[in-house]
Amino acid sequence: MSYVHCNQCGHRNPPDSNFCSSCGSPLDNLADRTITLTRVDPLQDSPATDDDVVVPVGDIEPGTAVLIVRAGAQAGSRFTLKDGGVTQLGRHPDSDISLDDITVSRRHAEIEHSPEGYVARDAGSLNGTYINQERKDSGPLHHGDELQIGKFRLVFFERTDG
C-alpha cells in the first residue's frame, strides 16, 4: 500500500484519501509537491515542536528510491537506494547507509531492489527492523512507508514517474 503524506501536518494517510485524517487539509498526489515530515521525539514518540524535515518530491530523480531520515541524529539526511541490487544498512562504517547509534546493529538490515519492487530484510539485528511500526523479518516497501532501524525513523519515497 502506498501512502499519501499531508503537506500541512505530515500525517500519513491511505492512498485513496482526499483529505488528511489528522488535520483535514486537502491531499494531492502530484510529483511537484513538497512534503513536511514532522519530527518525532524518539524518547516520547510525540511530535517535536521545531526542525521539521521538508521533502521536495520533485527533487527526487525519476526512477529512483530514497530513504529520508525523519528522526534521529541524522534527521533530514537523504539516502539513495541501489537500483537492481542490495543496499546494506547498519552501524558498520562499510555499510551503504551508515547509521551511527548504539541502537543499530553493525549489520542491521538490507533493502533489495528487484523487478517486483523494494524489499526490506532484517539481517539478524538485536533490536529488530520495523515497517510501519510492525516488527518484520522481511517485507515490501511502498511509497510513504516508515522503516525504523534502532532509533532512526526513515521514510521510503519512490518516484516512478518521468
Side-chain angles (χ1 to χ4, degrees):
M1 175 184 295
S2 178
Y3 292 95
V4 178
H5 288 271
C6 176
N7 291 331
Q8 298 300 314
C9 70
H11 182 75
R12 187 177 66 207
N13 294 279
D16 56 349
S17 300
N18 292 319
F19 297 93
C20 178
S21 62
S22 178
C23 72
S25 296
L27 301 171
D28 63 33
N29 289 320
L30 303 175
D32 62 346
R33 69 185 183 276
T34 299
I35 296 171
T36 301
L37 298 175
T38 306
R39 287 197 55 191
V40 176
D41 181 347
L43 299 176
Q44 297 179 6
D45 201 23
S46 63
T49 58
D50 57 357
D51 298 331
D52 290 341
V53 176
V54 177
V55 182
V57 177
D59 290 353
I60 299 172
E61 289 291 323
T64 62
V66 298
L67 288 174
I68 298 178
V69 181
R70 177 179 183 188
Q74 295 171 297
S77 297
R78 179 185 302 197
F79 302 103
T80 302
L81 300 176
K82 290 182 180 177
D83 185 24
V86 176
T87 304
Q88 297 175 339
L89 297 91
R91 198 176 72 232
H92 196 279
D94 290 341
S95 297
D96 297 313
I97 299 176
S98 182
L99 302 171
D100 189 22
D101 187 78
I102 195 69
T103 61
V104 178
S105 297
R106 289 184 181 274
R107 310 264 186 230
H108 197 104
E110 61 185 27
I111 298 173
E112 182 178 7
H113 182 231
S114 67
E116 292 79 38
Y118 288 88
V119 176
R121 284 189 195 84
D122 188 82
S125 68
L126 182 60
N127 292 329
T129 300
Y130 294 79
I131 300 173
N132 298 324
Q133 294 84 42
E134 194 174 316
R135 189 171 183 159
K136 300 269 188 164
D137 288 330
S138 178
L141 290 175
H142 303 285
H143 183 79
D145 283 351
E146 182 181 80
L147 179 67
Q148 184 174 349
I149 295 177
K151 71 176 187 179
F152 292 91
R153 294 180 183 214
L154 306 107
V155 180
F156 176 78
F157 287 98
E158 182 177 21
R159 180 142 178 230
T160 55
D161 64 335

